[in-house]
Amino acid sequence: DVETSFARNSPLSVQVEDDRTGLSLETLKRAFLDNLFYVQGKSPDIATAKDYYMALAYTVRDRMLHHWLSTGQTYRRTHARTAVYLSAEFLMGPYLGNNLINLGLYDLFEQAMEELGLNLKEIMDQEQEPGLGNGGLGRLAACYLDSMATLEIPSLGYGIRYEFGIFEQAFHDGWQVEKTDQWLRWGNPWEVRRPEWAVHVKIGGHTEGYTDHQGRYQVNWVPDKVVRGIPYDTPILGYQVNTANTLRLWRAESPESFDFDAFNRGDYYGAVNSKIISENISKVLYPNDDKLEGKQLRLEQEFFFVSCSLQDMIRLLMSEGLPLEQFPEKFTVQLNDTHPAVAIAELMRLLVDDHEMAWDLAWEITQKSFAYTNHTLLPEALERWPMYLFGSLLPRHLEIIFEINRIFLDQVRLKFGPDNERIARMSLIEETGGRYVRMANLACVGSHAINGVAELHTELLKETVLKDFYELFPEKFVNKTNGVTPRRWMVLSNPRLAKLIDQHIGTAWPTQLDQLSKLEAYVDDPAFRNEWREIKQANKRFLTARIERLTGIKVNPDSMFDVQIKRIHEYKRQQLNALHIITLYRRLKQNPDLEITPRTFIFAGKAAPGYFMAKLIIKLITAVGDIVNRDPVVRDRLKVVFIPNYNVTNSQPIYPASDLSEQISTAGFEASGTGNMKFALNGSLTIGTLDGANVEIREEVGAENFFLFGMTADEVTALKASGYQPWQYYEENAELKGVIDLISSGFFSGGDTETFKPLIDNLLQQDRFTVLADYQSYIDCQDHVGKVYQQDQENWLRMSILNAARMGKFSSDRAVREYCKEIWHVDPVSIELQEYSKMVA
Ligand code: F58
C-alpha cells in the first residue's frame, strides 16, 4: 500500500527539527513561541492562558515522541511480551506536570517560562484533567501505567475515551449539584487519533448456525447494529527512562457507509440520527462508585471497548507475523474488575467463530491470557446482567457463556458431587428470581489468576464472595496489595519535601521507595526535624490560601488539618466524622473555655448523582460547617470546609498539607484504599480501622505510629450475627444521644426536622455500617489524637517522619513488580532511542 511503499522507496531521510528536541533554554523558549504562533495561531499580545498551556504542552510532547516511537519500534522488533491493562476507567490526572517530572525537565521549563515572564505553575493550572474514572479503581490503573513505564515493562492500557468524564461538582445551598465535565472543550494536546486502526464492533441481532465446507458446525452472528471504534493514543512516559508506553482509548463513531442507504433514500435525518446513536456509546462515564448500574448503554460500553481492544491485539499479533496460537505468549491481559470480563466470551468468539479455532484450544488460550482483579466485597457492586438484556445485545456471547457454563458445571460436579446448592451458587447464570449473567463467576472461570487488592481483602474474598471458587481453584488466588506512584504523589505534588529527602538520602528513592527508610537516621536530628516541620507548615499555608480562594473560608494554618477526601459513601463513614465534629462543638457550647486542640476539618469528594444518602451526608457536613464556622463561641477553634470538585488536580495540594488522615471505613468494606497511602507517604498520621490496606500500613509504620480504633471485620460480622441494635448505643451513650438529638432537632437545618431525618432514622434503625457501634471508640481515639498533637508536638513530628520513612512497600512499582513476577511473567525491555531517519530506511 501507499504508506509502506513510501517507507521503502523514499530517498528522504526526514530531518528532525532541532526546535522539537533541543533542550537548551534558548531552544525551549523559541520552540514554545513557535508552537504558540504556528499551532495555536496566536502572537503573545493576544494569547490567553489556555494558549500558553497548549503551546507548552506541544513543546513538551515534542520531546516525548522519540521515546514513544522508539519504544513501539523496539517492542515490534523484539516481539516483546506485553502486559495489557483492560479497564473501563483511567483516572490519569493532569499530564503536563507529570510528563515534565518524568522527562526530568521540570526545573528547566520552569526557568524557560520565567525568562519569558510566565509562570509554569499558573500555566499548569490551565489543564483540564481527563476525569475518565470515578475513584480508586481508575486512579490505580493510572498509577500502574506510570509504574509499568518506569519499570520498562512493555504494556498497553485499553479503555474508553469518554467525551464527558466524571461530572463537575458544585454546591447550591450546601447540596451537591452536578455539571457536565467538558475536558475536551479546548482540545487535547496529548492524544493522537489513529483512524487507520479503526475496528468494527457488532451489537444486537441474532445468530445463525451453518455447516462449513469441511462439514463443521459454525455460528454466524448477524448484528442489527455496527459501530466503529477509533483509537486515540496517549504516550505514557516512564520516570527517567526512555520507555514511553501507550494508553489507547476508544471512541465510538458510526461506520461511514453504514447508513449510506438511509442517506440515499433521502432520509437525511435518519442517517444523521444513526450516527448520533453510535456515538452515544463513548459519550459519558457512569458516575457510580461501588454500585453497579444495570443499564443497556453501560453493557454496550463494556463490550465496545473490550471488542475493539481484542481485535487490536490480534492485529498487532499478526502484524508481527505471529500465529493466533501465540496470543497468550504475546499478551497477558489484566481485567480491572469485571467491567471488561465479557472479554472472556469475546476472545472465545473471535477465535472459534471468526478464526475457526477448535473450542478446546480456544479455551486454553483464553484461560492462559486473562487474570482478574477484584476491587470490592460489596454485593451491590458485583456485576450481574439480566439475561434477556445480555442476550439481546450479545446473542452469540450468551451462547458461548452457556457452553462455558455447561463444561464448567460438569467440572464442579466431578469435584464436589451432586451438590445442587453449590452448583447454583457457582453457575455463571443466576436463576433465583430472574435470570442473570454473573460477571465475577465468568471472570473466575476464564482467568488463570484471581487477586484481591490488600491482604485482608484477599482473605475475605476467599472466605466469602468467592469462597466456592477458592475451594475449586485454590491455586488461582493471590494477593496484590495496591500501591501508588511516588512520582505524582510526592515528587510532583510535594516538591519541598522531595527536595529535603533528596538532600539527605540521595535521589534514587522515587524509583526505590524502600530507601525512604534511610530517613529514620534523621528522626532525632534537630535541623532535619525543623525543616520537616516547616515544610508541613508551608504546605498548610499554601492550602489555606487555596481553601480561601475556593470556598471563601479562612482557616488557621496552625490548627490541625484533619482530612477525609474520597468518594462519599456510607461505608466510608463520613457521617462518623461529622458526629465527631458535632461532639466537639457541643462540648464547646457547654463549656466555652474548654481547652481543645484547634482543628480544621477538611472534606472533599463526590457523591454518585443517584445516591440519595451520600448527598444527604454532604449536606450534613456543609450544614454543620455553616453553623460551626460562624458561631462566636467556637472562636475559630473548629472550622469545617468542603473543598468542591474533588479530582486528581485538586487532591494534589491536599495530601502534603494534612496532619491527620481519616481512614475510618467499617472494617471489612474498603477493599484496600490508596488515599491512605498518599497521606502517610506525605507524613500525615492515620486515624483508622483495621480495614483494607490500613492493616498493612499499620504493620509497616508500627502500631505506636498509627491511631487505631473500632471493631475488626470479624467483630462486625459477629455483632451483626448476634442482632445489632443501633438504638441501644444511642440510648446508653449520653454524648452520642446529645449529638443525634441536636441533628434531629433541626439545629443544623434552620429548624427543619425533616431534612436529616432519613439519615438519623437509618443510623438508629439499620446502621448497616455500624457507625453507632464504633462511635465511642472513635471519639476516644480522636481525644487521644488531639492531645498528642497539642501536648506532644515533638512526638507527633517523630511519628510523621517515621510514617513517611516506612512507606516503601506502598509504591506502585512494588505492586507492578509482583504482578510481573507472579501473574504476568513479563520482563522489562530497555529502550534505546532510535535515529528517526534510520527508522524510515
Ligand atoms: C476501589 N473501587 C475500592 N470502584 O473501593 C478501593 O478500596 C480500592 O483501593 C480501589 O478500588 C483500588 O483497588 C472502586 O473505585 C469503582 O469505582 C467502580 C466503578 C464502576 C462501578 C463500580 C465501582
Side-chain angles (χ1 to χ4, degrees):
D1 60 4
V2 180
E3 291 159 56
T4 44
S5 86
F6 170 79
R8 229 178 289 109
N9 301 328
S10 172
L12 297 171
S13 81
V14 179
Q15 203 56 54
V16 179
E17 293 269 334
D18 178 61
D19 272 13
R20 295 197 187 257
T21 56
L23 295 176
S24 72
L25 274 171
E26 287 314 306
T27 307
L28 291 184
K29 287 189 281 181
R30 195 172 59 241
F32 168 77
L33 292 171
D34 187 88
N35 281 327
L36 185 67
F37 195 92
Y38 288 102
V39 181
Q40 287 306 102
K42 288 280 182 77
S43 52
D45 55 321
I46 55 163
T48 64
K50 281 274 176 330
D51 293 320
Y52 287 131
Y53 164 72
M54 291 296 281
L56 185 55
Y58 281 114
T59 310
V60 173
R61 193 183 96 171
D62 286 341
R63 280 147 187 82
M64 298 166 60
L65 278 169
H66 266 69
H67 302 70
W68 200 16
L69 299 190
S70 300
T71 301
Q73 203 216 20
T74 307
Y75 292 167
R76 283 191 299 277
R77 185 168 42 77
T78 61
H79 305 298
R81 176 165 168 78
T82 300
V84 168
Y85 208 77
L86 268 191
S87 179
E89 306 191 0
F90 286 93
L91 193 42
M92 301 300 290
Y95 283 111
L96 178 53
N98 199 246
N99 285 335
L100 283 172
I101 293 289
N102 284 12
L103 279 169
L105 296 179
Y106 189 96
D107 292 343
L108 201 64
F109 269 87
E110 190 168 43
Q111 197 185 336
M113 291 302 106
E114 201 181 300
E115 289 182 16
L116 289 171
L118 297 168
N119 180 293
L120 176 61
K121 291 209 180 68
E122 282 172 26
I123 297 178
M124 277 163 46
D125 282 344
Q126 293 298 315
E127 181 167 354
Q128 302 270 320
E129 72 168 75
L132 309 186
N134 274 286
L137 171 148
R139 181 56 230 177
L140 187 76
C143 283
Y144 284 179
L145 292 188
D146 182 88
S147 282
M148 289 189 285
T150 299
L151 295 172
E152 305 180 300
I153 299 300
S155 66
L156 258 169
Y158 280 116
I160 301 173
R161 182 180 176 277
Y162 301 106
E163 185 175 337
F164 303 109
I166 188 70
F167 64 87
E168 230 181 81
Q169 180 191 52
F171 285 92
H172 275 166
D173 191 25
W175 295 93
Q176 168 177 294
V177 289
E178 300 90 27
K179 302 195 292 176
T180 51
D181 160 63
Q182 301 233 29
W183 73 288
L184 289 168
R185 188 170 30 189
W186 306 95
N188 174 7
W190 305 105
E191 70 186 6
V192 180
R193 179 180 160 103
R194 307 281 194 198
E196 66 275 28
W197 298 323
V199 296
H200 287 108
V201 175
K202 302 196 239 182
I203 291 179
H206 62 277
T207 62
E208 289 168 354
Y210 68 98
T211 308
D212 72 8
H213 54 278
Q214 291 174 1
R216 286 179 311 193
Y217 182 74
Q218 299 281 0
V219 178
N220 186 29
W221 174 17
V222 185
D224 58 24
K225 175 162 105 182
V226 174
V227 295
R228 201 161 82 108
I230 318 277
Y232 285 70
D233 288 357
T234 301
I236 306 297
L237 197 72
Y239 180 72
Q240 294 180 358
V241 290
N242 290 329
T243 300
N245 289 325
T246 296
L247 171 61
R248 179 162 288 171
L249 301 179
W250 299 95
R251 171 171 202 250
E253 295 185 1
S254 70
E256 291 113 34
S257 57
F258 191 63
D259 245 321
F260 203 57
D261 282 354
F263 196 81
N264 276 350
R265 270 186 273 115
D267 185 6
Y268 180 75
Y269 179 82
V272 173
N273 197 42
S274 95
K275 183 172 153 60
I276 292 169
I277 289 168
S278 302
E279 290 179 354
N280 277 342
I281 290 183
S282 57
K283 195 61 76 180
V284 58
L285 168 75
Y286 278 94
N288 297 317
D289 172 83
D290 283 320
K291 173 141 172 57
L292 130 104
E293 176 127 359
K295 291 274 162 52
Q296 170 168 338
L297 185 61
R298 169 74 179 179
L299 181 57
E300 289 184 358
Q301 289 184 337
E302 294 182 356
F303 177 67
F304 164 74
F305 94 90
V306 157
S307 178
C308 290
S309 307
L310 287 171
Q311 291 184 60
D312 195 56
M313 286 178 240
I314 291 174
R315 174 186 64 78
L316 289 168
L317 183 77
M318 293 186 159
S319 76
E320 285 180 22
L322 299 171
L324 212 47
E325 290 71 23
Q326 295 261 325
F327 188 93
E329 281 73 47
K330 175 69 191 171
F331 296 113
T332 174
V333 184
Q334 193 67 34
L335 303 172
N336 199 21
D337 215 294
T338 57
H339 319 139
V342 69
I344 291 163
E346 172 68 349
L347 183 59
M348 284 300 287
R349 188 193 66 82
L350 289 165
L351 297 178
V352 171
D353 293 356
D354 290 8
H355 294 274
E356 299 177 359
M357 190 182 281
W359 178 278
D360 291 350
L361 179 58
W363 184 242
E364 192 189 315
I365 288 174
T366 298
Q367 276 192 319
K368 265 198 206 168
S369 299
F370 291 107
Y372 158 51
T373 304
N374 172 290
H375 295 267
T376 182
L377 295 154
L378 282 180
E380 66 266 36
L382 292 181
E383 282 193 302
R384 359 166 272 176
W385 292 104
M387 210 177 79
Y388 71 87
L389 174 67
F390 197 98
S392 73
L393 242 51
L394 304 170
R396 179 55 181 148
H397 299 77
L398 188 58
E399 293 173 0
I400 289 170
I401 287 170
F402 283 154
E403 181 63 3
I404 294 171
N405 200 33
R406 187 186 66 76
I407 300 168
F408 167 64
L409 292 180
D410 279 345
Q411 192 187 344
V412 176
R413 282 188 201 95
L414 200 62
K415 168 127 185 190
F416 297 103
D419 178 346
N420 283 331
E421 281 176 21
R422 183 187 295 266
I423 286 166
R425 290 195 304 268
M426 297 188 80
S427 172
L428 305 190
I429 306 296
E430 183 176 323
E431 319 221 28
T432 47
R435 302 174 87 191
Y436 295 90
V437 181
R438 293 166 162 161
M439 302 309 279
N441 296 33
L442 176 63
C444 286
V445 174
S447 301
H448 67 275
I450 302 165
N451 77 282
V453 289
E455 278 165 15
L456 173 67
H457 171 60
T458 302
E459 288 310 308
L460 292 172
L461 279 179
K462 294 196 278 193
E463 289 166 17
T464 62
V465 286
L466 300 182
K467 183 166 192 282
D468 294 314
F469 291 91
Y470 178 59
E471 285 167 7
L472 181 62
F473 309 123
E475 71 288 350
K476 288 190 186 182
F477 284 74
V478 283
N479 175 245
K480 291 286 158 276
T481 299
N482 286 166
V484 299
T485 171
R487 275 75 67 183
R488 182 178 291 275
W489 298 112
M490 182 72 116
V491 180
L492 177 63
S493 57
N494 200 347
R496 286 180 262 242
L497 199 62
K499 190 170 163 211
L500 177 69
I501 297 172
D502 283 350
Q503 286 164 352
H504 287 81
I505 66 168
T507 57
W509 61 271
T511 53
Q512 327 241 308
L513 203 62
D514 290 323
Q515 292 206 12
L516 286 182
S517 66
K518 293 184 187 167
L519 291 173
E520 290 201 31
Y522 298 93
V523 74
D524 294 316
D525 176 328
F528 180 80
R529 290 167 62 92
N530 236 338
E531 291 200 67
W532 191 275
R533 177 188 6 247
E534 277 177 9
I535 287 167
K536 183 62 86 181
Q537 273 312 115
N539 290 338
K540 287 171 74 175
R541 284 195 299 273
F542 182 78
L543 183 61
T544 297
R546 224 180 126 78
I547 288 173
E548 187 171 359
R549 192 146 36 81
L550 293 170
T551 68
I553 300 171
K554 281 196 170 62
V555 306
N556 173 8
D558 295 322
S559 63
M560 181 203 296
F561 280 14
D562 176 337
V563 186
Q564 189 171 19
I565 49 173
K566 51 181 77 227
R567 286 298 285 256
I568 313 298
H569 201 293
E570 286 163 282
Y571 85 78
K572 296 177 190 282
R573 299 202 294 192
Q574 282 91 355
Q575 33 341 359
L576 180 58
N577 191 338
L579 295 184
H580 173 236
I581 301 172
I582 300 169
T583 302
L584 293 179
Y585 176 64
R586 278 184 77 249
R587 288 178 187 172
L588 286 179
K589 294 293 271 188
Q590 283 161 2
N591 179 3
D593 294 323
L594 186 75
E595 289 278 334
I596 67 158
T597 307
R599 293 203 200 206
T600 300
F601 294 92
I602 298 171
F603 291 87
K606 293 171 184 174
Y611 188 175
F612 168 75
M613 201 56 87
K615 289 180 142 178
L616 194 53
I617 291 171
I618 292 182
K619 173 64 181 174
L620 176 65
I621 293 163
T622 56
V624 169
D626 281 346
I627 298 287
V628 169
N629 296 348
R630 283 160 215 225
D631 192 329
V633 168
V634 173
R635 281 189 274 119
D636 288 349
R637 285 170 292 178
L638 303 176
K639 279 276 158 71
V640 182
V641 297
F642 202 113
I643 298 176
N645 197 38
Y646 183 59
N647 58 14
V648 176
T649 306
N650 292 329
S651 79
Q652 283 178 190
I654 303 180
Y655 296 108
S658 63
D659 295 306
L660 187 65
S661 157
E662 298 272 354
Q663 306 301 334
I664 62 178
S665 54
T666 313
F669 285 94
E670 189 69 271
S672 163
T674 44
N676 47 4
M677 302 167 188
K678 297 164 196 169
F679 278 106
L681 179 63
N682 283 277
S684 112
L685 305 190
T686 305
I687 181 167
T689 49
L690 284 179
D691 200 14
N694 295 353
V695 178
E696 292 159 75
I697 292 174
R698 179 165 171 269
E699 255 165 39
E700 293 292 307
V701 305
E704 67 284 9
N705 301 308
F706 186 104
F707 299 106
L708 179 69
F709 79 98
M711 291 180 287
T712 63
D714 288 343
E715 286 166 349
V716 171
T717 311
L719 177 62
K720 287 190 180 168
S722 73
Y724 174 44
Q725 297 184 329
W727 65 88
Q728 285 189 348
Y729 290 82
Y730 162 85
E731 300 287 2
E732 288 164 16
N733 185 330
E735 194 164 41
L736 172 59
K737 183 167 188 304
V739 168
I740 298 269
D741 289 348
L742 191 61
I743 302 172
S744 301
S745 74
F747 184 83
F748 299 107
S749 37
D752 172 26
T753 54
E754 287 302 302
T755 308
F756 297 117
K757 193 163 184 298
L759 205 158
I760 297 303
D761 286 352
N762 188 286
L763 284 180
L764 292 175
Q765 287 155 33
Q766 269 86 49
D767 195 16
R768 180 176 171 208
F769 299 107
T770 53
V771 173
L772 300 197
D774 271 344
Y775 170 81
Q776 195 56 50
S777 168
Y778 182 56
I779 297 296
D780 293 343
C781 190
Q782 283 285 25
D783 288 343
H784 175 61
V785 168
K787 279 207 190 91
V788 178
Y789 189 81
Q790 188 86 329
Q791 298 165 12
D792 205 355
Q793 289 179 23
E794 291 307 310
N795 191 34
W796 186 282
L797 186 63
R798 180 190 173 80
M799 289 161 74
S800 165
I801 296 168
L802 289 179
N803 263 263
R806 297 175 178 176
M807 285 300 288
K809 168 172 173 184
F810 301 97
S811 170
S812 44
D813 298 346
R814 185 271 312 151
V816 163
R817 276 198 196 94
E818 287 181 10
Y819 278 94
C820 285
K821 222 173 145 224
E822 290 155 37
I823 300 181
W824 301 339
H825 307 289
V826 173
D827 294 315
V829 171
S830 68
I831 304 299
E832 262 182 66
L833 295 186
Q834 310 286 305
E835 196 76 63
Y836 185 39
S837 53
K838 286 197 192 124
M839 289 194 220
V840 175

